[in-house]
Amino acid sequence: MMNVVATALPDVKPIEPRVFGDARGFFFESYNRRALAALGVDAEFVQDNHSRSARNVLRGLHYQIRQPQGKLVRVVAGEVLDVAVDVRRSSPTFGRWVSFVLSAENKRMAWIPAGFAHGFLVRSESAEF
């Protein structure tokens, strides 16, 4: 079970997975095609990236013009301020942006659809994104 957190840009979807924890640690599904499709994220994932950045590193804003791609992102160590900007010229929300915190602690993920610029600022000593 996953839950979408509403934002001012409905296409951008911070996602809270259901986390099962006890004294041994925790478990959660970070990807489930059917669960994500039920939340409006019905995409074919063709690439998986991992980066590590130091405190105050700003990555982005990245976007693709010729071959736009959506991104499902999460932080596995540390904390970032994540930002998405609507760069779809024909969109009623063109130029608007949203931000939210993604961290290893809150375990949130975010769907950034095609047509949005994306970036993040590392707020912890380092972050793995």
Side-chain angles (χ1 to χ4, degrees):
M1 182 73 143
M2 297 180 184
N3 184 45
V4 170
V5 178
T7 70
L9 298 175
D11 293 335
V12 177
K13 300 174 187 291
I15 299 167
E16 295 177 335
R18 186 169 178 200
V19 179
F20 302 92
D22 60 25
R24 300 169 296 169
F26 67 87
F27 169 85
F28 70 94
E29 282 187 337
S30 59
Y31 177 79
N32 180 306
R33 184 177 179 142
R34 277 183 277 155
L36 288 169
L39 298 175
V41 179
D42 195 12
E44 178 184 358
F45 291 92
V46 296
Q47 184 175 326
D48 184 33
N49 301 325
H50 188 108
S51 69
R52 184 172 198 275
S53 303
R55 181 187 304 276
N56 295 326
V57 167
L58 176 64
R59 301 266 185 192
L61 294 163
H62 298 111
Y63 62 97
Q64 301 77 34
I65 294 174
R66 287 191 173 83
Q67 293 182 325
Q69 57 185 242
K71 299 162 189 71
L72 181 64
V73 298
R74 72 182 177 119
V75 172
V76 297
E79 177 179 289
V80 306
L81 178 66
D82 201 77
V83 177
V85 181
D86 189 347
V87 294
R88 303 169 299 174
R89 290 196 185 274
S90 62
S91 171
T93 57
F94 174 74
R96 291 183 50 200
W97 61 276
V98 292
S99 66
F100 36 82
V101 173
L102 299 178
S103 70
E105 185 177 325
N106 72 20
K107 297 171 187 55
R108 273 188 177 173
M109 302 176 285
W111 170 246
I112 313 298
F116 285 76
H118 174 256
F120 62 89
L121 172 68
V122 178
R123 296 173 22 151
S124 52
E125 185 176 328
S126 65
E128 292 194 31
F129 189 91

